[in-house]
Amino acid sequence: MSEVLLVDTHDRPLGTMEKLEAHEKGLLHRAFSLFIVSDEAMLIQRRATAKYHSGGLWANACCSHPGRNADVVDEAIRRAHEELGLDPAQLEDRPVEVASFVYRADLGSVFEYEYDHVLLARASQAVQLTPDPEEVDRVAWVGFDELERRLLEVPDDFAPWFLTACPLVLAATR
């Protein structure tokens, strides 16, 4: 397992801990959520069902936890390559941070308690992807209006952080 950076509610570093332990103890740690959009749709992924939390739920293009001295944007680009097989050259621009927020979700055996940096990048819907099946069950491009409808009608289909982060991204794209 990898380490996460524990932070306070202002995203100031406090130390590191193994990722699973931080999730089991419900300690606040730094995370990022990368969103990829085209002019009219968002790339979402259905998390692999074998993931230790939120498996089978829909979420943003990718997310993870940057290390202590890591650049959040560089880590997001690296993680998109690992999870989605996305060649960074296929992005139309370098991801930018559009928001951040703290959230806490009780997922049964673990807690998500994260200071989430929300990143946005653009790409063509023709982008070539080769998702890692241990991370991603499938991917889909969903129109913005359809996505907003689904968030309201079937919120339980989505990962908990996505319910907060997605509206922030949609607002930033309009």
Side-chain angles (χ1 to χ4, degrees):
M1 263 280 147
S2 61
E3 284 190 334
V4 296
L5 180 62
L6 302 176
V7 296
D8 66 14
T9 56
H10 299 285
D11 198 33
R12 293 182 294 231
L14 300 174
T16 60
M17 181 177 284
E18 288 297 313
K19 179 171 73 171
L20 183 57
E21 183 181 2
H23 282 134
E24 289 172 340
K25 292 181 174 180
L27 299 177
L28 183 60
H29 56 279
R30 185 177 291 161
F32 64 80
S33 295
L34 175 63
F35 286 76
I36 299 174
V37 299
S38 69
D39 288 336
E40 56 200 43
M42 181 181 292
L43 177 67
I44 61 174
Q45 67 152 286
R46 185 168 178 250
R47 292 168 57 87
T49 55
K51 302 270 297 177
Y52 74 94
H53 75 77
S54 305
L57 297 179
W58 288 96
N60 45 287
C62 77
C63 51
S64 192
H65 307 91
R68 175 181 285 276
N69 297 314
D71 178 83
V72 174
V73 172
D74 289 341
E75 286 294 294
I77 292 168
R78 181 188 62 77
R79 192 69 189 142
H81 180 70
E82 291 175 356
E83 271 189 44
L84 300 171
L86 176 68
D87 179 346
Q90 294 184 91
L91 295 174
E92 294 174 8
D93 50 15
R94 183 170 166 80
V96 296
E97 186 166 338
V98 295
S100 62
F101 65 98
V102 173
Y103 76 98
R104 190 172 198 281
D106 182 344
L107 303 174
S109 62
V110 297
F111 299 90
E112 282 279 84
Y113 187 28
E114 296 182 335
Y115 190 104
D116 194 6
H117 294 263
V118 181
L119 308 173
L120 175 62
R122 296 189 177 276
S124 163
Q125 290 186 40
V127 67
Q128 298 296 309
L129 303 172
T130 53
D132 176 349
E134 292 185 18
E135 298 286 341
V136 180
D137 180 49
R138 66 180 187 250
V139 296
W141 285 95
V142 179
F144 296 148
D145 292 340
E146 171 69 10
L147 187 54
E148 286 179 317
R149 184 188 63 73
R150 287 175 57 190
L151 287 171
L152 291 171
E153 292 178 3
V154 287
D156 291 344
D157 286 355
F158 297 94
W161 63 88
F162 189 81
L163 297 172
T164 300
C166 183
L168 297 171
V169 171
L170 291 172
T173 63
R174 295 186 167 145

